[in-house]
Amino acid sequence: MTALTPHMFLQPDGWVPAKGYANGMLAEGRMVFTGGLVGWNAQQEWEHADMVGQFRQTLENIVAVLDKAGARPEHLVRLTWYITDKQEYLDNLRAFGAAYREVIGRHFPAMAVVQVCALMEDAAKVEIEATAVIPHG
C-alpha cells in the first residue's frame, strides 16, 4: 500500500496483498474511537435511502468526529462496517469504492465488513465504527 500515513501496514511475507484494506496496522500515539456512526446528517435526518448514499454520509460523519480530535483520515487504523444487505453491497462495489476514495482518500486501514439482520436505527443500511491514532509530535 502506498498511502501516505504515519502508521505501518502489516503485510506478512508470502501473503497475497489485501485489496481495499490492510491485514493489520502498527501505530503509536493518541487513540480516537468513534461509536457506531450511521448515514444521517448532523440533525439526525436521513438524506439517503440507498446504502451507497448512507455509506458516503457515514464516512463524512467519521471525518467530522476525527476532526474534533485533530485527526485526519490517514490516521485511521481500523474500520468495522455493519451492513444490512450483502447483495446490495456487492452489487455496488464500484460506487462504494468511489465514495470511499472521495471522502477518505487512498488510505485503506484494517477493515471488516459484517452483514447483520438489522441496525438500531430502522432506516440505517450501514453503520461504521472507526479507530484512529494521532501520532505523537
Side-chain angles (χ1 to χ4, degrees):
M1 307 226 175
T2 59
L4 296 175
T5 178
H7 309 308
M8 179 192 295
F9 293 98
L10 303 176
Q11 178 63 30
D13 294 339
W15 282 31
V16 174
K19 294 182 181 173
Y21 66 96
N23 289 305
M25 302 282 296
L26 176 64
E28 290 186 33
R30 293 176 38 227
M31 298 173 59
V32 180
F33 303 91
T34 73
L37 300 178
V38 295
W40 55 24
N41 65 24
Q43 289 72 45
Q44 297 184 352
E45 298 167 342
W46 297 98
E47 296 178 13
H48 307 280
D50 65 298
M51 189 182 290
V52 174
Q54 288 188 18
F55 174 69
R56 175 186 296 277
Q57 181 66 55
T58 302
L59 294 178
E60 291 171 356
N61 294 345
I62 289 168
V63 170
V65 172
L66 293 179
D67 184 62
K68 289 300 292 180
R72 298 184 307 272
E74 61 267 25
H75 296 143
L76 287 166
V77 295
R78 182 166 186 74
L79 295 171
T80 303
W81 310 14
Y82 303 95
I83 61 172
T84 58
D85 187 334
K86 178 182 173 182
Q87 197 58 53
E88 184 176 357
Y89 169 74
L90 293 174
D91 289 346
N92 293 285
L93 286 177
R94 286 183 184 262
F96 274 93
Y100 184 92
R101 288 185 304 276
E102 289 169 16
V103 177
I104 302 297
R106 295 185 98 47
H107 174 68
F108 304 98
M111 290 189 227
V113 180
V114 180
Q115 178 177 300
V116 295
C117 64
L119 295 166
M120 293 307 293
E121 294 299 329
D122 289 335
K125 292 188 172 190
V126 61
E127 183 170 329
I128 302 176
E129 296 174 322
T131 304
V133 178
I134 305 168
H136 297 295

